[in-house]
Amino acid sequence: MTARPDPLRLAPGLTLALFLVPIGAGLLGTLAPAFGVFPALGETRLSLDPWRDLVAQPGFSTSLRLTLTTGLLATALSLLFACGFAALASTHPGIARLERALAPLLATPHVAVAIGLAFLIASSGFFARAVSPWLTGWERPPAFAIVRDPAGLSYVAGLAVKETAFLVLMVLAAQGQVRAAQALAAARALGYAPLAAWAKVVLPAVYRQIRLPVYAVLAFSLSNVEMALVLAPGTPPPLAVLAMRWFTSYDLALYPAAAAAATLQLLVVVAGIGAWRLAEIAGKRLHRAWCARGARAGLAGPALALGGAGAIGSGVLVLAAIAVMALWSIAEGWRYPDALPPAVSLRTWTRAAPTMIDLVGTTALVAAAATLIALALTLACLENEARRDLKPGAGALWLLYLPLLVPQIAFLFGAQVALVRLDLDATLLAVIWAHLLFVLPYVFLSLADPWRALDPRYARIAAGLGAKPWRTFFAVKLPMLARPIGTAFAVGFSVSVALYLPTLFAGAGRIMTLTTEAVTLSSGADRRVVGVTAFLQAALPLLVYAAALAGPGLLAARRGRVAA
């Protein structure tokens, strides 16, 4: 009698193939034209001409400098804000309750945050209107640039505001794994000030746990396109935006230089992570020296307090950004310097409804399909682990983070070339597949810990009662983990809604979602229409989050009534 093959054994290999094959093929498809091999243009010999063309572009060095300074500064600020919030939350129960606001902050897409922030801080934005002309004397918007400023400071602010929520979540989760409360209590008993104690005994252990998420934030900040299109300077733009402009040009002759820029973007991320690693080593030595001196306080406390205030301010800014987008969407004209619109109506919503219904439908369809596939693969991998008592190592975690560490612009063009050859480009299937690459890591990371923490005795009891493994999976494990599964679905859905470059490349610019439309409109359309689009883009993931949080409770209540 032969044993029946178990399909679960195929799940890890299939999942890894979904990661590695497209990224590897995409990188090769970008590297080849970067070194002159581009058969579509009749170029088949290796050459450095694309690199010479890239370096000769006006403003190239400024683009490179802007990419490095904004990416590194935004990551450092996000990390400071996240650590500051976690330190304050460890010592102040009132601040700890603000953790509940993380879900809406995480769910709000990057483009919506960028557009809302621009509505707030621009020289004609809400903040300027609120103090004009009675305080500033400005009867007209001032002539200096706040958004798209030459130094990219508004871009840094946007990145830091958005990425802080993600790192706060990572730091809080890591605190639970390193027994932070006990270490903090011991340090407090030795007379250390609360925030200094957190910096001395909790921070080193927590940082080891969040190193990969920090690298992912760094890679994202160094290579982001959608927020840069709204907030970063345009002449010259950051390197990733430069590559994207050339890739989306109708002039095929620009593609080799674009591929060189995308390859350089990959090298910039690798160099950035390397530089960050060196800074970690230096910081570790300084931290040891500080601990050895035995000081009970120091600059760490004020720095963490400042960071915590920055994190709270970031959350307030995101909520204010959503509110001002909603206000613009119902404004009946809103001339400067009026602090509020003179009248409101739903006229803009009514006018935009036909277009918005299509965009919402496409966005929701792609997000739901990609997330459900990701959820099925994740559950199969985790169930395979549980049945075979497997313990994934650090290598698996690195592979999982690979799509988040490799810049999107570095491999999406090559992946698009592969889609063209397969005659799949500009199809919904291609867009769903491209979104799956980025949704899967977040779904896996959201669900892995709760699934692995489920007490294995439940499965043993079910087996003792005669239940087969699949019945135990569907009747015991899935209902018990309904809330983490719902949360993982909401996380994956919000990640998909926020994706810009994968939609642009896999959809060949012909499949539009709320995100691609919002980026297009942000370059100069009527602010009221931009407000409608960006608000819908922010509201859709929030609705899914709300359903994910409420759904399991309602199902449990229904089962309770049926059982009674």
Side-chain angles (χ1 to χ4, degrees):
M1 182 178 179
T2 57
R4 185 177 298 176
D6 185 356
L8 281 181
R9 288 182 182 275
L10 301 176
L14 178 62
T15 306
L16 282 179
L18 280 171
F19 279 78
L20 300 181
V21 173
I23 293 175
L27 285 175
L28 287 176
T30 304
L31 284 172
F35 289 95
V37 180
F38 199 18
L41 294 181
E43 302 289 345
T44 55
R45 287 187 177 182
L46 290 175
S47 167
L48 291 179
D49 286 347
W51 293 87
R52 295 189 187 96
D53 293 341
L54 172 64
V55 174
Q57 288 296 320
F60 166 74
S61 59
T62 305
S63 283
L64 192 56
R65 176 186 54 76
L66 189 66
T67 301
L68 285 167
T69 54
T70 54
L72 290 170
L73 182 57
T75 307
L77 281 176
S78 304
L79 183 60
L80 174 64
F81 289 174
C83 290
F85 181 85
L88 288 179
S90 298
T91 52
H92 296 80
I95 293 178
R97 283 194 283 272
L98 295 177
E99 295 172 23
R100 297 170 187 169
L102 277 177
L105 302 184
L106 283 168
T108 308
H110 294 84
V111 172
V113 170
I115 292 174
L117 192 63
F119 282 177
L120 288 172
I121 67 173
S123 54
S124 60
F126 181 79
F127 290 160
R129 291 164 186 257
V131 294
S132 300
W134 60 272
L135 182 62
T136 62
W138 297 337
E139 295 289 346
R140 295 181 178 179
F144 52 84
I146 297 177
V147 173
R148 297 184 174 179
D149 58 295
L153 295 180
S154 60
Y155 177 44
V156 169
L159 287 169
V161 162
K162 181 65 182 111
E163 294 306 308
T164 293
F166 172 66
L167 285 182
V168 165
L169 187 69
M170 294 295 107
V171 173
L172 294 178
Q175 280 195 152
Q177 298 174 13
V178 299
R179 308 183 68 176
Q182 294 87 337
L184 195 59
R188 294 290 306 277
L190 292 173
Y192 287 92
L195 295 182
W198 194 93
K200 286 205 170 188
V201 300
V202 178
L203 179 58
V206 163
Y207 190 80
R208 283 194 292 273
Q209 302 289 324
I210 65 166
R211 181 173 286 131
L212 271 177
V214 170
Y215 290 170
V217 169
L218 178 60
F220 179 83
S221 301
L222 287 169
S223 60
N224 179 262
V225 170
E226 56 267 37
M227 292 190 86
L229 285 171
V230 180
L231 296 173
T235 49
L239 195 58
V241 176
L242 194 65
M244 189 273 295
R245 283 181 184 171
W246 290 340
F247 274 137
T248 54
S249 169
Y250 291 107
D251 186 359
L252 291 180
L254 289 174
Y255 281 22
T263 305
L264 180 59
Q265 180 66 67
L266 175 63
L267 296 177
V268 165
V269 169
V270 172
I273 292 176
W276 192 272
R277 179 63 187 142
L278 291 177
E280 285 177 0
I281 294 170
K284 187 176 180 180
R285 289 180 179 173
L286 290 173
H287 186 270
R288 280 181 179 170
W290 178 50
C291 290
R293 285 201 301 272
R296 295 292 189 271
L299 291 177
L304 285 174
L306 191 61
I312 296 170
S314 297
V316 172
L317 270 180
V318 173
L319 297 177
I322 296 173
V324 80
M325 285 188 297
L327 193 55
W328 263 109
S329 74
I330 57 173
E332 276 288 328
W334 191 355
R335 294 180 181 277
Y336 189 91
D338 294 343
L340 294 171
V344 296
S345 77
L346 293 177
R347 185 180 303 176
T348 307
W349 282 85
T350 306
R351 197 169 63 242
T355 304
M356 291 302 134
I357 289 172
D358 289 342
L359 290 173
V360 169
T362 305
T363 306
L365 175 64
V366 170
T371 308
L372 285 173
I373 296 170
L375 201 54
L377 288 169
T378 300
L379 288 171
C381 289
L382 293 172
E383 180 64 6
N384 184 61
E385 277 183 25
R387 291 188 190 180
R388 289 166 180 78
D389 197 22
L390 301 175
K391 305 293 181 190
L397 199 57
W398 272 95
L399 287 175
L400 197 61
Y401 268 94
L402 193 60
L404 311 183
L405 295 175
V406 178
Q408 297 176 10
I409 196 70
F411 70 91
L412 282 174
F413 171 71
Q416 187 188 24
V417 172
L419 287 172
V420 170
R421 291 179 176 172
L422 295 171
D423 199 23
L424 287 173
D425 69 313
T427 63
L428 268 179
L429 183 63
V431 176
I432 291 168
W433 165 80
H435 281 220
L436 179 63
L437 280 180
F438 302 95
V439 169
L440 188 51
Y442 285 101
V443 170
F444 199 104
L445 291 169
S446 302
L447 191 53
D449 284 342
W451 192 274
R452 289 166 181 158
L454 183 66
D455 194 333
R457 286 176 293 184
Y458 290 115
R460 292 182 198 137
I461 292 170
L465 294 172
K468 299 292 184 186
W470 281 112
R471 189 179 177 196
T472 303
F473 176 77
F474 285 108
V476 177
K477 292 185 177 180
L478 289 187
M480 292 184 73
L481 291 165
R483 187 176 292 276
I485 291 171
T487 302
F489 180 87
V491 169
F493 191 94
S494 65
V495 168
S496 175
V497 170
L499 290 174
Y500 173 69
L501 275 187
T503 313
L504 186 69
F505 277 87
R510 294 197 287 270
I511 294 182
M512 300 297 289
T513 63
L514 285 169
T515 297
T516 57
E517 183 74 2
V519 172
T520 303
L521 294 175
S522 67
S523 59
D526 185 337
R527 282 191 179 187
R528 291 169 294 183
V529 180
V530 178
V532 170
T533 310
F535 180 76
L536 278 173
Q537 195 207 14
L540 188 59
L542 286 174
L543 288 174
V544 174
Y545 256 105
L549 293 177
L554 295 174
L555 287 175
R558 185 174 180 275
R559 283 198 301 271
R561 287 196 299 271
V562 171

